[in-house]
């Protein structure tokens, strides 16, 4: 691909292909299928909201179709460990080979101490907790907490000093996450008991090389992206360690031919096209996108690619919400054509569609396609029925299109 100018439709197809929406679904997804999807997304963002399904499971469903979630748990929690949790975008599962690439970020957090979590540093506490885990094995904050005072200063999280110290050790790379327990709590352990030995033995890249590697992976996952997009994918712009190396990293990838500067119709800023990016003539996607999916997690990019204004309204007071609490965009072809507010009512066995809204360009078969995807989602979540609330302009057509789930 040599053109230095792209239409927004071309950029959209490039981006979706890079994210894995051109890959053929496998009848029975395997670990190989899962790692192919992760190779496209680069990472899987983790979020604690469970009104529908945990955020890290959803991008895989969007790309692979229904799969056994035990595949992801195995990849992230068992040997040979393929994924590991770290602060890569936000909290995320990332390929385990990125652990040494994050060493400079870890060193920066180590130097900052744990005041950033809003808790006073308690001398000796991190080392005492580290010694306990070293001797007694993996543990959660709850396992180790001895009733020290808690605070609600951290985005509503009820953290104790123990939790704050453990998070500091995690960010600093002195502890890793062995797994999440059934309460979705981090189970901390020593990196040498979590990270494969061959990864721990890898040489530590320079800050410049680490920055370049993360920009390279962001460019590959996005296909075409602005400088801001590339910096944001692994949250490099917030790191004082990486900031001085960002522009040189992009320039080095341009000089090597891995990135090509291009203009994109309607984009105000310079874009960069990855060397391996494909430009398919069509994208035949049909998928519900998690609010934390890389396709939509950067709102300005989402609007510039899809002409779709999107806001997560979880943190908006209920009376001020426009579309609902947990709203998923619906991707059909290469356009986002609708949005749907969903809740998994596990006690009743029902997927509740609490609001459904069509975009102005939505094609006539949107409700039928959405009903198919909702049926697939409900079965994957082991729910027995779909109930559509009349809220939203697409709700009447969706109500007619929903097919009862086969027993």
């Amino acid at each position: 691909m040599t053109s230095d100018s792209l239409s927004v439709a071309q950029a959209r197809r490039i981006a979706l292909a890079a994210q894995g929406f051109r890959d053929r679904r496998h009848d029975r997804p395997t670990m190989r299928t899962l790692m192919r999807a992760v190779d496209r997304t680069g990472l899987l963002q983790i979020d604690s909201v469970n009104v529908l399904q945990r955020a890290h499971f959803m991008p895989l469903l969007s790309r692979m179709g229904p799969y056994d979630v035990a595949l992801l748990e195995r990849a992230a929690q068992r040997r040979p460990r393929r994924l590991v949790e770290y602060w890569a975008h936000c909290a995320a599962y990332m390929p385990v080979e990125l652990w040494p690439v994050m060493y400079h970020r870890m060193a920066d957090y180590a130097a900052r101490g744990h005041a950033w979590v809003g808790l006073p540093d308690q001398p000796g506490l991190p080392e005492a907790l580290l010694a306990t885990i070293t001797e007694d094995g993996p543990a959660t904050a709850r396992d180790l907490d001895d009733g020290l005072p808690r605070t609600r200063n951290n985005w509503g999280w009820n953290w104790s000093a123990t939790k704050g110290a453990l998070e500091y050790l995690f960010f600093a790379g002195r502890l890793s996450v062995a797994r999440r327990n059934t309460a979705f709590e981090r189970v901390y352990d020593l990196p040498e008991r979590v990270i494969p030995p061959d990864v721990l033995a890898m040489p530590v890249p320079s800050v410049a090389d680490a920055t370049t590697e993360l920009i390279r992976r962001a460019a590959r996952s996005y296909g075409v992206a602005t400088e801001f997009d590339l910096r944001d994918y692994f949250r490099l712009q917030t790191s004082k360690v990486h900031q001085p190396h960002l522009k040189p990293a992009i320039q080095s990838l341009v000089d090597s031919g891995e990135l090509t500067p291009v203009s994109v119709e309607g984009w105000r800023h310079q874009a960069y096209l990855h060397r391996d990016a494909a430009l398919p003539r069509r994208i035949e996607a049909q998928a519900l996108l998690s609010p934390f999916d890389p396709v939509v997690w950067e709102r300005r990019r989402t609007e510039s690619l899809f002409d779709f204004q999107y806001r997560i309204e979880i943190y908006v007071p209920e009376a001020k919400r426009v579309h609902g609490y947990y709203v998923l965009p619906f991707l059909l072809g290469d356009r986002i054509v609708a949005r749907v507010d969903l809740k998994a009512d596990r006690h009743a066995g029902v997927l509740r569609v609490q609001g459904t809204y069509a975009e102005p360009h939505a094609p006539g078969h949107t409700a039928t396609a959405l009903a198919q995807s909702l049926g697939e989602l409900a079965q994957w979540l082991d729910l027995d029925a779909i109930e559509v609330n009349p809220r939203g302009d697409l709700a009447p057509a969706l109500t007619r299109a929903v097919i009862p789930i086969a027993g």
Side-chain angles (χ1 to χ4, degrees), residues 306-347:
F306 297 97
D307 191 25
F308 181 78
Q309 294 184 340
Y310 184 47
R311 182 184 186 190
I312 296 180
E313 298 184 83
I314 294 171
Y315 309 110
V316 176
E318 184 174 0
K320 295 184 178 181
R321 290 178 194 142
V322 176
H323 297 105
Y325 179 77
Y326 202 75
V327 176
L328 283 73
F330 180 54
L331 176 67
L332 186 60
D334 68 351
R335 304 295 302 274
I336 294 175
V337 300
R339 66 188 87 202
V340 56
D341 181 20
L342 297 178
K343 177 180 180 178
D345 185 341
R346 295 172 179 85
H347 179 74

mmCIF file of all heavy atoms in Angstrom, residues 306-347:
data_model
loop_
_atom_site.group_PDB
_atom_site.id
_atom_site.type_symbol
_atom_site.label_atom_id
_atom_site.label_comp_id
_atom_site.label_asym_id
_atom_site.label_seq_id
_atom_site.Cartn_x
_atom_site.Cartn_y
_atom_site.Cartn_z
ATOM 1 N N PHE A 306 -15.778 6.446 12.654
ATOM 2 C CA PHE A 306 -17.128 5.899 12.488
ATOM 3 C C PHE A 306 -18.233 6.948 12.521
ATOM 4 O O PHE A 306 -19.405 6.587 12.394
ATOM 5 C CB PHE A 306 -17.401 4.867 13.597
ATOM 6 C CG PHE A 306 -16.501 3.661 13.558
ATOM 7 C CD1 PHE A 306 -15.366 3.594 14.353
ATOM 8 C CD2 PHE A 306 -16.788 2.597 12.714
ATOM 9 C CE1 PHE A 306 -14.532 2.490 14.325
ATOM 10 C CE2 PHE A 306 -15.958 1.481 12.670
ATOM 11 C CZ PHE A 306 -14.832 1.432 13.480
ATOM 12 N N ASP A 307 -17.877 8.216 12.718
ATOM 13 C CA ASP A 307 -18.892 9.266 12.887
ATOM 14 C C ASP A 307 -19.871 8.848 13.976
ATOM 15 O O ASP A 307 -21.092 8.945 13.824
ATOM 16 C CB ASP A 307 -19.618 9.536 11.560
ATOM 17 C CG ASP A 307 -20.483 10.790 11.622
ATOM 18 O OD1 ASP A 307 -20.187 11.668 12.442
ATOM 19 O OD2 ASP A 307 -21.459 10.871 10.854
ATOM 20 N N PHE A 308 -19.305 8.385 15.075
ATOM 21 C CA PHE A 308 -20.095 7.807 16.168
ATOM 22 C C PHE A 308 -19.635 8.438 17.472
ATOM 23 O O PHE A 308 -18.488 8.250 17.896
ATOM 24 C CB PHE A 308 -19.879 6.287 16.192
ATOM 25 C CG PHE A 308 -20.653 5.547 17.247
ATOM 26 C CD1 PHE A 308 -22.001 5.273 17.071
ATOM 27 C CD2 PHE A 308 -20.023 5.099 18.414
ATOM 28 C CE1 PHE A 308 -22.720 4.568 18.037
ATOM 29 C CE2 PHE A 308 -20.724 4.393 19.378
ATOM 30 C CZ PHE A 308 -22.077 4.132 19.191
ATOM 31 N N GLN A 309 -20.482 9.200 18.106
ATOM 32 C CA GLN A 309 -20.168 9.820 19.384
ATOM 33 C C GLN A 309 -20.543 8.851 20.505
ATOM 34 O O GLN A 309 -21.686 8.418 20.603
ATOM 35 C CB GLN A 309 -20.916 11.139 19.536
ATOM 36 C CG GLN A 309 -20.470 12.204 18.552
ATOM 37 C CD GLN A 309 -21.154 13.534 18.786
ATOM 38 O OE1 GLN A 309 -22.210 13.605 19.411
ATOM 39 N NE2 GLN A 309 -20.556 14.596 18.279
ATOM 40 N N TYR A 310 -19.565 8.548 21.328
ATOM 41 C CA TYR A 310 -19.747 7.493 22.320
ATOM 42 C C TYR A 310 -19.207 7.948 23.661
ATOM 43 O O TYR A 310 -18.136 8.551 23.756
ATOM 44 C CB TYR A 310 -19.011 6.230 21.856
ATOM 45 C CG TYR A 310 -19.180 5.022 22.735
ATOM 46 C CD1 TYR A 310 -20.429 4.634 23.205
ATOM 47 C CD2 TYR A 310 -18.078 4.254 23.088
ATOM 48 C CE1 TYR A 310 -20.576 3.511 24.009
ATOM 49 C CE2 TYR A 310 -18.214 3.125 23.885
ATOM 50 C CZ TYR A 310 -19.464 2.763 24.346
ATOM 51 O OH TYR A 310 -19.607 1.653 25.140
ATOM 52 N N ARG A 311 -19.949 7.635 24.685
ATOM 53 C CA ARG A 311 -19.554 7.970 26.043
ATOM 54 C C ARG A 311 -19.965 6.833 26.965
ATOM 55 O O ARG A 311 -21.112 6.368 26.898
ATOM 56 C CB ARG A 311 -20.243 9.264 26.486
ATOM 57 C CG ARG A 311 -19.873 9.739 27.881
ATOM 58 C CD ARG A 311 -20.691 10.968 28.256
ATOM 59 N NE ARG A 311 -20.265 11.552 29.528
ATOM 60 C CZ ARG A 311 -20.921 12.513 30.175
ATOM 61 N NH1 ARG A 311 -22.041 13.007 29.649
ATOM 62 N NH2 ARG A 311 -20.473 12.989 31.308
ATOM 63 N N ILE A 312 -19.049 6.394 27.808
ATOM 64 C CA ILE A 312 -19.407 5.415 28.830
ATOM 65 C C ILE A 312 -20.150 6.160 29.930
ATOM 66 O O ILE A 312 -19.619 7.098 30.522
ATOM 67 C CB ILE A 312 -18.166 4.716 29.399
ATOM 68 C CG1 ILE A 312 -17.466 3.894 28.325
ATOM 69 C CG2 ILE A 312 -18.555 3.807 30.553
ATOM 70 C CD1 ILE A 312 -16.231 3.176 28.809
ATOM 71 N N GLU A 313 -21.367 5.725 30.199
ATOM 72 C CA GLU A 313 -22.201 6.451 31.149
ATOM 73 C C GLU A 313 -22.289 5.768 32.515
ATOM 74 O O GLU A 313 -23.148 6.105 33.336
ATOM 75 C CB GLU A 313 -23.604 6.642 30.556
ATOM 76 C CG GLU A 313 -23.595 7.484 29.274
ATOM 77 C CD GLU A 313 -24.983 7.764 28.746
ATOM 78 O OE1 GLU A 313 -25.625 8.707 29.242
ATOM 79 O OE2 GLU A 313 -25.415 7.014 27.849
ATOM 80 N N ILE A 314 -21.386 4.842 32.764
ATOM 81 C CA ILE A 314 -21.349 4.160 34.056
ATOM 82 C C ILE A 314 -21.215 5.168 35.194
ATOM 83 O O ILE A 314 -21.847 5.031 36.246
ATOM 84 C CB ILE A 314 -20.176 3.158 34.097
ATOM 85 C CG1 ILE A 314 -20.407 2.019 33.103
ATOM 86 C CG2 ILE A 314 -19.980 2.599 35.492
ATOM 87 C CD1 ILE A 314 -19.198 1.114 32.924
ATOM 88 N N TYR A 315 -20.383 6.170 34.973
ATOM 89 C CA TYR A 315 -20.080 7.131 36.032
ATOM 90 C C TYR A 315 -20.963 8.380 35.964
ATOM 91 O O TYR A 315 -20.730 9.337 36.685
ATOM 92 C CB TYR A 315 -18.600 7.521 35.961
ATOM 93 C CG TYR A 315 -17.691 6.314 35.923
ATOM 94 C CD1 TYR A 315 -16.985 5.976 34.770
ATOM 95 C CD2 TYR A 315 -17.561 5.482 37.038
ATOM 96 C CE1 TYR A 315 -16.168 4.853 34.730
ATOM 97 C CE2 TYR A 315 -16.745 4.367 37.010
ATOM 98 C CZ TYR A 315 -16.051 4.055 35.850
ATOM 99 O OH TYR A 315 -15.253 2.943 35.815
ATOM 100 N N VAL A 316 -21.958 8.351 35.095
ATOM 101 C CA VAL A 316 -22.897 9.458 34.965
ATOM 102 C C VAL A 316 -24.104 9.180 35.866
ATOM 103 O O VAL A 316 -24.626 8.065 35.867
ATOM 104 C CB VAL A 316 -23.354 9.608 33.496
ATOM 105 C CG1 VAL A 316 -24.416 10.700 33.359
ATOM 106 C CG2 VAL A 316 -22.158 9.909 32.599
ATOM 107 N N PRO A 317 -24.574 10.158 36.641
ATOM 108 C CA PRO A 317 -25.780 9.933 37.444
ATOM 109 C C PRO A 317 -26.935 9.451 36.576
ATOM 110 O O PRO A 317 -27.105 9.897 35.432
ATOM 111 C CB PRO A 317 -26.067 11.316 38.031
ATOM 112 C CG PRO A 317 -24.739 12.002 38.037
ATOM 113 C CD PRO A 317 -24.007 11.498 36.836
ATOM 114 N N GLU A 318 -27.718 8.520 37.104
ATOM 115 C CA GLU A 318 -28.754 7.863 36.298
ATOM 116 C C GLU A 318 -29.670 8.856 35.593
ATOM 117 O O GLU A 318 -30.021 8.666 34.420
ATOM 118 C CB GLU A 318 -29.584 6.935 37.190
ATOM 119 C CG GLU A 318 -30.624 6.124 36.425
ATOM 120 C CD GLU A 318 -31.334 5.116 37.299
ATOM 121 O OE1 GLU A 318 -31.031 5.043 38.504
ATOM 122 O OE2 GLU A 318 -32.198 4.381 36.771
ATOM 123 N N ALA A 319 -30.041 9.928 36.274
ATOM 124 C CA ALA A 319 -30.963 10.891 35.675
ATOM 125 C C ALA A 319 -30.366 11.620 34.477
ATOM 126 O O ALA A 319 -31.108 12.157 33.649
ATOM 127 C CB ALA A 319 -31.394 11.910 36.728
ATOM 128 N N LYS A 320 -29.045 11.622 34.373
ATOM 129 C CA LYS A 320 -28.384 12.337 33.284
ATOM 130 C C LYS A 320 -27.921 11.414 32.160
ATOM 131 O O LYS A 320 -27.359 11.880 31.166
ATOM 132 C CB LYS A 320 -27.189 13.120 33.827
ATOM 133 C CG LYS A 320 -27.586 14.234 34.798
ATOM 134 C CD LYS A 320 -26.372 15.040 35.232
ATOM 135 C CE LYS A 320 -26.770 16.180 36.153
ATOM 136 N NZ LYS A 320 -25.593 16.988 36.567
ATOM 137 N N ARG A 321 -28.139 10.117 32.305
ATOM 138 C CA ARG A 321 -27.722 9.198 31.247
ATOM 139 C C ARG A 321 -28.601 9.361 30.016
ATOM 140 O O ARG A 321 -29.822 9.506 30.125
ATOM 141 C CB ARG A 321 -27.781 7.751 31.737
ATOM 142 C CG ARG A 321 -26.722 7.431 32.763
ATOM 143 C CD ARG A 321 -26.834 6.001 33.252
ATOM 144 N NE ARG A 321 -26.027 5.834 34.473
ATOM 145 C CZ ARG A 321 -26.367 5.101 35.507
ATOM 146 N NH1 ARG A 321 -27.519 4.419 35.487
ATOM 147 N NH2 ARG A 321 -25.587 5.027 36.563
ATOM 148 N N VAL A 322 -27.986 9.291 28.854
ATOM 149 C CA VAL A 322 -28.710 9.430 27.593
ATOM 150 C C VAL A 322 -29.136 8.073 27.062
ATOM 151 O O VAL A 322 -30.289 7.871 26.669
ATOM 152 C CB VAL A 322 -27.839 10.158 26.545
ATOM 153 C CG1 VAL A 322 -28.557 10.216 25.198
ATOM 154 C CG2 VAL A 322 -27.489 11.560 27.036
ATOM 155 N N HIS A 323 -28.212 7.101 27.049
ATOM 156 C CA HIS A 323 -28.490 5.802 26.437
ATOM 157 C C HIS A 323 -28.542 4.655 27.429
ATOM 158 O O HIS A 323 -29.114 3.615 27.123
ATOM 159 C CB HIS A 323 -27.445 5.496 25.359
ATOM 160 C CG HIS A 323 -27.458 6.453 24.216
ATOM 161 N ND1 HIS A 323 -26.499 7.428 24.038
ATOM 162 C CD2 HIS A 323 -28.342 6.617 23.206
ATOM 163 C CE1 HIS A 323 -26.773 8.133 22.962
ATOM 164 N NE2 HIS A 323 -27.886 7.665 22.443
ATOM 165 N N GLY A 324 -27.951 4.804 28.621
ATOM 166 C CA GLY A 324 -28.022 3.731 29.591
ATOM 167 C C GLY A 324 -26.724 3.534 30.340
ATOM 168 O O GLY A 324 -25.732 4.234 30.134
ATOM 169 N N TYR A 325 -26.724 2.542 31.211
ATOM 170 C CA TYR A 325 -25.596 2.297 32.109
ATOM 171 C C TYR A 325 -24.445 1.591 31.405
ATOM 172 O O TYR A 325 -23.292 2.022 31.485
ATOM 173 C CB TYR A 325 -26.077 1.460 33.293
ATOM 174 C CG TYR A 325 -24.994 1.112 34.287
ATOM 175 C CD1 TYR A 325 -24.547 2.060 35.203
ATOM 176 C CD2 TYR A 325 -24.431 -0.165 34.328
ATOM 177 C CE1 TYR A 325 -23.558 1.753 36.128
ATOM 178 C CE2 TYR A 325 -23.447 -0.478 35.245
ATOM 179 C CZ TYR A 325 -23.008 0.479 36.145
ATOM 180 O OH TYR A 325 -22.025 0.163 37.055
ATOM 181 N N TYR A 326 -24.718 0.481 30.716
ATOM 182 C CA TYR A 326 -23.650 -0.308 30.094
ATOM 183 C C TYR A 326 -24.000 -0.515 28.627
ATOM 184 O O TYR A 326 -24.643 -1.500 28.247
ATOM 185 C CB TYR A 326 -23.477 -1.643 30.814
ATOM 186 C CG TYR A 326 -22.119 -2.267 30.607
ATOM 187 C CD1 TYR A 326 -21.006 -1.767 31.272
ATOM 188 C CD2 TYR A 326 -21.944 -3.350 29.758
ATOM 189 C CE1 TYR A 326 -19.748 -2.332 31.079
ATOM 190 C CE2 TYR A 326 -20.698 -3.925 29.574
ATOM 191 C CZ TYR A 326 -19.594 -3.411 30.242
ATOM 192 O OH TYR A 326 -18.350 -3.971 30.060
ATOM 193 N N VAL A 327 -23.589 0.440 27.821
ATOM 194 C CA VAL A 327 -24.021 0.511 26.428
ATOM 195 C C VAL A 327 -22.916 0.007 25.507
ATOM 196 O O VAL A 327 -21.773 0.479 25.561
ATOM 197 C CB VAL A 327 -24.409 1.958 26.062
ATOM 198 C CG1 VAL A 327 -24.773 2.058 24.587
ATOM 199 C CG2 VAL A 327 -25.578 2.415 26.939
ATOM 200 N N LEU A 328 -23.268 -0.946 24.642
ATOM 201 C CA LEU A 328 -22.321 -1.521 23.696
ATOM 202 C C LEU A 328 -22.648 -1.052 22.286
ATOM 203 O O LEU A 328 -23.793 -1.159 21.833
ATOM 204 C CB LEU A 328 -22.380 -3.054 23.724
ATOM 205 C CG LEU A 328 -21.701 -3.748 24.899
ATOM 206 C CD1 LEU A 328 -22.493 -3.580 26.183
ATOM 207 C CD2 LEU A 328 -21.502 -5.237 24.581
ATOM 208 N N PRO A 329 -21.658 -0.526 21.556
ATOM 209 C CA PRO A 329 -21.862 -0.250 20.132
ATOM 210 C C PRO A 329 -22.033 -1.564 19.365
ATOM 211 O O PRO A 329 -21.450 -2.592 19.729
ATOM 212 C CB PRO A 329 -20.569 0.461 19.721
ATOM 213 C CG PRO A 329 -19.978 0.959 21.013
ATOM 214 C CD PRO A 329 -20.352 -0.062 22.037
ATOM 215 N N PHE A 330 -22.816 -1.502 18.291
ATOM 216 C CA PHE A 330 -23.024 -2.682 17.441
ATOM 217 C C PHE A 330 -22.381 -2.417 16.094
ATOM 218 O O PHE A 330 -22.756 -1.484 15.371
ATOM 219 C CB PHE A 330 -24.514 -2.970 17.274
ATOM 220 C CG PHE A 330 -24.807 -4.177 16.418
ATOM 221 C CD1 PHE A 330 -24.241 -5.409 16.707
ATOM 222 C CD2 PHE A 330 -25.655 -4.073 15.314
ATOM 223 C CE1 PHE A 330 -24.505 -6.521 15.922
ATOM 224 C CE2 PHE A 330 -25.921 -5.187 14.531
ATOM 225 C CZ PHE A 330 -25.345 -6.416 14.829
ATOM 226 N N LEU A 331 -21.403 -3.242 15.763
ATOM 227 C CA LEU A 331 -20.646 -3.129 14.521
ATOM 228 C C LEU A 331 -21.265 -4.052 13.485
ATOM 229 O O LEU A 331 -21.401 -5.255 13.714
ATOM 230 C CB LEU A 331 -19.183 -3.518 14.769
ATOM 231 C CG LEU A 331 -18.239 -3.549 13.569
ATOM 232 C CD1 LEU A 331 -18.011 -2.139 13.017
ATOM 233 C CD2 LEU A 331 -16.896 -4.179 13.983
ATOM 234 N N LEU A 332 -21.621 -3.492 12.332
ATOM 235 C CA LEU A 332 -22.205 -4.276 11.243
ATOM 236 C C LEU A 332 -21.529 -3.856 9.953
ATOM 237 O O LEU A 332 -21.574 -2.687 9.564
ATOM 238 C CB LEU A 332 -23.712 -4.025 11.157
ATOM 239 C CG LEU A 332 -24.497 -4.883 10.164
ATOM 240 C CD1 LEU A 332 -24.375 -6.375 10.500
ATOM 241 C CD2 LEU A 332 -25.966 -4.467 10.143
ATOM 242 N N GLY A 333 -20.881 -4.823 9.274
ATOM 243 C CA GLY A 333 -20.046 -4.453 8.139
ATOM 244 C C GLY A 333 -18.855 -3.676 8.659
ATOM 245 O O GLY A 333 -18.142 -4.134 9.553
ATOM 246 N N ASP A 334 -18.657 -2.475 8.117
ATOM 247 C CA ASP A 334 -17.557 -1.646 8.618
ATOM 248 C C ASP A 334 -18.068 -0.384 9.308
ATOM 249 O O ASP A 334 -17.325 0.581 9.481
ATOM 250 C CB ASP A 334 -16.586 -1.287 7.484
ATOM 251 C CG ASP A 334 -17.197 -0.348 6.440
ATOM 252 O OD1 ASP A 334 -18.419 -0.105 6.498
ATOM 253 O OD2 ASP A 334 -16.446 0.140 5.581
ATOM 254 N N ARG A 335 -19.339 -0.390 9.729
ATOM 255 C CA ARG A 335 -19.923 0.774 10.401
ATOM 256 C C ARG A 335 -20.492 0.380 11.755
ATOM 257 O O ARG A 335 -20.951 -0.746 11.950
ATOM 258 C CB ARG A 335 -21.053 1.387 9.545
ATOM 259 C CG ARG A 335 -20.666 1.796 8.125
ATOM 260 C CD ARG A 335 -19.657 2.924 8.106
ATOM 261 N NE ARG A 335 -20.103 4.134 8.787
ATOM 262 C CZ ARG A 335 -20.833 5.092 8.213
ATOM 263 N NH1 ARG A 335 -21.247 4.963 6.945
ATOM 264 N NH2 ARG A 335 -21.166 6.178 8.886
ATOM 265 N N ILE A 336 -20.470 1.315 12.675
ATOM 266 C CA ILE A 336 -21.210 1.151 13.928
ATOM 267 C C ILE A 336 -22.605 1.685 13.670
ATOM 268 O O ILE A 336 -22.791 2.874 13.378
ATOM 269 C CB ILE A 336 -20.532 1.895 15.086
ATOM 270 C CG1 ILE A 336 -19.172 1.256 15.378
ATOM 271 C CG2 ILE A 336 -21.410 1.858 16.328
ATOM 272 C CD1 ILE A 336 -18.353 1.983 16.441
ATOM 273 N N VAL A 337 -23.599 0.803 13.727
ATOM 274 C CA VAL A 337 -24.946 1.143 13.252
ATOM 275 C C VAL A 337 -25.964 1.293 14.373
ATOM 276 O O VAL A 337 -27.091 1.740 14.130
ATOM 277 C CB VAL A 337 -25.437 0.093 12.239
ATOM 278 C CG1 VAL A 337 -24.502 0.021 11.032
ATOM 279 C CG2 VAL A 337 -25.581 -1.283 12.897
ATOM 280 N N ALA A 338 -25.596 0.896 15.593
ATOM 281 C CA ALA A 338 -26.553 0.970 16.694
ATOM 282 C C ALA A 338 -25.798 0.886 18.002
ATOM 283 O O ALA A 338 -24.593 0.597 18.048
ATOM 284 C CB ALA A 338 -27.584 -0.158 16.607
ATOM 285 N N ARG A 339 -26.531 1.145 19.079
ATOM 286 C CA ARG A 339 -25.988 0.943 20.426
ATOM 287 C C ARG A 339 -27.088 0.340 21.294
ATOM 288 O O ARG A 339 -28.271 0.625 21.096
ATOM 289 C CB ARG A 339 -25.430 2.237 20.991
ATOM 290 C CG ARG A 339 -26.431 3.311 21.248
ATOM 291 C CD ARG A 339 -25.740 4.635 21.616
ATOM 292 N NE ARG A 339 -25.405 5.423 20.448
ATOM 293 C CZ ARG A 339 -24.473 6.366 20.419
ATOM 294 N NH1 ARG A 339 -23.751 6.616 21.490
ATOM 295 N NH2 ARG A 339 -24.236 7.043 19.318
ATOM 296 N N VAL A 340 -26.652 -0.485 22.254
ATOM 297 C CA VAL A 340 -27.624 -1.247 23.026
ATOM 298 C C VAL A 340 -27.172 -1.321 24.485
ATOM 299 O O VAL A 340 -26.007 -1.607 24.777
ATOM 300 C CB VAL A 340 -27.825 -2.650 22.399
ATOM 301 C CG1 VAL A 340 -26.529 -3.406 22.278
ATOM 302 C CG2 VAL A 340 -28.855 -3.443 23.157
ATOM 303 N N ASP A 341 -28.089 -1.015 25.390
ATOM 304 C CA ASP A 341 -27.822 -1.052 26.826
ATOM 305 C C ASP A 341 -28.201 -2.434 27.341
ATOM 306 O O ASP A 341 -29.372 -2.831 27.285
ATOM 307 C CB ASP A 341 -28.647 0.040 27.520
ATOM 308 C CG ASP A 341 -28.412 0.092 29.028
ATOM 309 O OD1 ASP A 341 -27.373 -0.415 29.479
ATOM 310 O OD2 ASP A 341 -29.277 0.643 29.741
ATOM 311 N N LEU A 342 -27.222 -3.176 27.857
ATOM 312 C CA LEU A 342 -27.428 -4.580 28.195
ATOM 313 C C LEU A 342 -27.147 -4.874 29.663
ATOM 314 O O LEU A 342 -26.304 -4.242 30.295
ATOM 315 C CB LEU A 342 -26.518 -5.470 27.339
ATOM 316 C CG LEU A 342 -26.748 -5.449 25.826
ATOM 317 C CD1 LEU A 342 -25.740 -6.347 25.132
ATOM 318 C CD2 LEU A 342 -28.169 -5.872 25.494
ATOM 319 N N LYS A 343 -27.865 -5.861 30.152
ATOM 320 C CA LYS A 343 -27.632 -6.377 31.496
ATOM 321 C C LYS A 343 -27.902 -7.872 31.507
ATOM 322 O O LYS A 343 -28.918 -8.332 30.994
ATOM 323 C CB LYS A 343 -28.560 -5.684 32.515
ATOM 324 C CG LYS A 343 -28.408 -6.228 33.931
ATOM 325 C CD LYS A 343 -29.339 -5.528 34.901
ATOM 326 C CE LYS A 343 -29.182 -6.093 36.310
ATOM 327 N NZ LYS A 343 -30.057 -5.396 37.287
ATOM 328 N N ALA A 344 -26.966 -8.616 32.081
ATOM 329 C CA ALA A 344 -27.167 -10.055 32.263
ATOM 330 C C ALA A 344 -27.813 -10.284 33.620
ATOM 331 O O ALA A 344 -27.161 -10.134 34.658
ATOM 332 C CB ALA A 344 -25.837 -10.796 32.159
ATOM 333 N N ASP A 345 -29.082 -10.618 33.610
ATOM 334 C CA ASP A 345 -29.802 -10.942 34.852
ATOM 335 C C ASP A 345 -29.604 -12.433 35.084
ATOM 336 O O ASP A 345 -30.409 -13.271 34.639
ATOM 337 C CB ASP A 345 -31.283 -10.582 34.703
ATOM 338 C CG ASP A 345 -32.067 -10.768 35.995
ATOM 339 O OD1 ASP A 345 -31.583 -11.498 36.884
ATOM 340 O OD2 ASP A 345 -33.170 -10.197 36.108
ATOM 341 N N ARG A 346 -28.552 -12.764 35.778
ATOM 342 C CA ARG A 346 -28.181 -14.167 35.936
ATOM 343 C C ARG A 346 -29.161 -14.922 36.826
ATOM 344 O O ARG A 346 -29.403 -16.113 36.613
ATOM 345 C CB ARG A 346 -26.754 -14.251 36.483
ATOM 346 C CG ARG A 346 -25.718 -13.703 35.489
ATOM 347 C CD ARG A 346 -24.322 -13.596 36.093
ATOM 348 N NE ARG A 346 -23.368 -13.102 35.092
ATOM 349 C CZ ARG A 346 -23.171 -11.819 34.822
ATOM 350 N NH1 ARG A 346 -23.857 -10.886 35.466
ATOM 351 N NH2 ARG A 346 -22.293 -11.461 33.899
ATOM 352 N N HIS A 347 -29.722 -14.235 37.801
ATOM 353 C CA HIS A 347 -30.683 -14.899 38.695
ATOM 354 C C HIS A 347 -31.916 -15.348 37.920
ATOM 355 O O HIS A 347 -32.421 -16.464 38.122
ATOM 356 C CB HIS A 347 -31.078 -13.946 39.828
ATOM 357 C CG HIS A 347 -32.076 -14.525 40.771
ATOM 358 N ND1 HIS A 347 -31.740 -15.490 41.706
ATOM 359 C CD2 HIS A 347 -33.415 -14.296 40.928
ATOM 360 C CE1 HIS A 347 -32.819 -15.827 42.394
ATOM 361 N NE2 HIS A 347 -33.852 -15.123 41.955
#
